Amino acid sequence: MTVSEALRWATGQLAQSSRESARLEAELIIAHVLQKARHELYLQPSHTLSHDEQTQLYELIERRGHGEPLQYLLEYTEFYGCLLRVTPAVLIPRPETEELVEFVLQSTLHPPKDVLDLGTGSGAIAIALARAWPESSLVATDISQEALALARENALRNGVAERIRFVQSDWFSQISGRFDLIVSNPPYVRTGYFAHAPRELLYEPRVALDGGPQGLDALRRIIQESPRYLRSGGSLYLEIGSDQGQAVRELSAQTGAFVNVEIRKDLSGQERFARLRLDCTPSPANGRRRCTVQAKPG
Ligand code: GLN
């Protein structure tokens, strides 16, 4: 089988399972098997695949046909300009989470000194922030040791490993000290959703997606406990479900600690992000207000 035959065959196979981007996926899978860049396929259309390459191609096309996400087959994805390895031990970072990073960066005037990323998974958010803020120190947690090992590997690959401390922790359970900024994309999907979820979602770790009956279990814990881990003036940034904005406002109000809650929409117009800001408490020494993280106005 030559490269061009492989492309034709794989595209046909993927189209059968009604994939919108069958050709592109075929190119990516074949390039992965041949360990080449996608455009290189067109430089050697009559190159013949070895027996092993052909076997691997059949296997990957079959797995994709069953609904396994493309990123798990390719074992990598791109997030905010970083190449990340992904395996079924971690959630595949979504474009919305890139928007969360964008939201954090846009709203933060001075790079914070200490940043905490809760439930880091592949390390996506922590790595993107570490690259954007070369002076910041980060702590990234996950409950899964396997996820942490992968996140550490991704941090190394992206040259930021020395500034991110990876900690196995059930949200704040192993965390001490205070941070200028806390960020999290926690599991926020309702448990009931999984009975009818698209097949692809079932390949991802349930622990990274399932937020309990209302999808609020993790968000509740994070919002309730964050004030004890934030410095004055610090912010908690969250990715949330499109119908959870009001619940997040209420959870925030219950803490009595946050002075401001901002809910933001994603590019598809759905409420998707929250920023909860702590008060800048008067400093006892001189009575002046001190903020460690300052917000841009507006
Ligand atoms: N947005 C993701 C999805 O719909 C959910 C991510 C999460 O729970 N943190 O699959």
Side-chain angles (χ1 to χ4, degrees):
M1 189 186 246
T2 65
V3 167
S4 62
E5 284 164 354
L7 278 168
R8 220 175 9 255
W9 174 78
T11 306
Q13 293 294 308
L14 293 169
Q16 273 175 27
S17 40
S18 69
R19 307 256 168 250
E20 282 167 25
S21 42
R23 177 74 183 191
L24 174 64
E25 291 200 6
E27 290 173 354
L28 290 167
I29 290 172
I30 294 168
H32 173 68
V33 167
L34 298 178
Q35 299 183 353
K36 291 190 186 306
R38 190 160 62 95
H39 73 270
E40 288 181 280
L41 300 180
Y42 294 96
L43 303 177
Q44 302 167 306
S46 46
H47 169 82
T48 307
L49 274 70
S50 71
H51 177 74
D52 284 355
E53 288 166 345
Q54 221 166 295
T55 309
Q56 199 194 346
L57 174 63
Y58 292 150
E59 190 215 323
L60 292 179
I61 295 294
E62 190 184 332
R63 284 167 60 190
R64 186 68 187 117
H66 290 144
E68 189 165 343
L70 181 67
Q71 293 90 336
Y72 287 156
L73 302 182
L74 304 177
E75 288 178 43
Y76 71 85
T77 194
E78 212 189 298
F79 181 86
Y80 214 79
C82 309
L83 202 62
L84 301 178
R85 194 159 86 84
V86 289
T87 71
V90 299
L91 193 77
I92 298 162
R94 311 281 201 268
E96 292 91 317
T97 309
E98 293 181 308
E99 285 187 68
L100 173 65
V101 168
E102 193 65 39
F103 178 29
V104 171
L105 293 176
Q106 279 176 359
S107 321
T108 309
L109 201 55
H110 302 295
K113 195 167 146 309
D114 295 296
V115 177
L116 174 64
D117 173 19
L118 293 170
T120 197
S122 62
I125 298 174
I127 292 167
L129 292 178
R131 279 170 46 123
W133 291 328
E135 307 293 323
S136 303
S137 300
L138 297 93
V139 174
T141 74
D142 208 284
I143 198 162
S144 153
Q145 196 60 258
E146 228 180 320
L148 285 173
L150 189 63
R152 201 174 283 119
E153 177 189 325
N154 283 327
L156 269 173
R157 181 190 301 261
N158 286 281
V160 290
E162 74 287 355
R163 285 187 294 114
I164 308 179
R165 193 159 62 84
F166 292 96
V167 180
Q168 187 175 24
S169 182
D170 180 11
W171 304 123
F172 289 100
S173 69
Q174 303 302 314
I175 297 301
S176 57
R178 293 201 182 245
F179 299 84
D180 305 296
L181 193 150
I182 301 176
V183 60
S184 183
N185 171 24
Y188 56 72
V189 177
R190 284 188 174 77
T191 304
Y193 180 76
F194 292 92
H196 315 283
R199 249 187 317 171
E200 296 200 355
L201 203 64
L202 305 179
Y203 283 87
E204 295 187 274
R206 184 77 175 252
V207 67
L209 288 163
D210 191 342
Q214 277 99 42
L216 291 168
D217 290 1
L219 286 166
R220 185 179 298 111
R221 277 184 66 183
I222 294 171
I223 293 171
Q224 282 173 352
E225 293 180 42
S226 279
R228 283 194 280 132
Y229 297 89
L230 277 171
R231 297 198 177 115
S232 81
S235 286
L236 167 64
Y237 289 86
L238 297 165
E239 186 174 317
I240 63 171
S242 55
D243 54 357
Q244 292 171 338
Q246 189 49 35
V248 165
R249 285 184 195 283
E250 285 163 20
L251 288 169
S252 167
Q254 283 164 21
T255 65
F258 295 104
V259 286
N260 178 269
V261 180
E262 180 186 354
I263 305 289
R264 272 233 191 167
K265 292 183 175 161
D266 62 22
L267 285 173
S268 68
Q270 310 261 33
E271 290 191 343
R272 183 66 59 203
F273 314 109
R275 179 193 185 190
L276 285 64
R277 199 149 47 83
L278 266 201
D279 199 0
C280 310
T281 49
S283 132
N286 53 19
R288 290 223 320 268
R289 283 176 180 267
R290 267 183 53 221
C291 277
T292 41
V293 178
Q294 282 167 7
K296 277 183 190 164

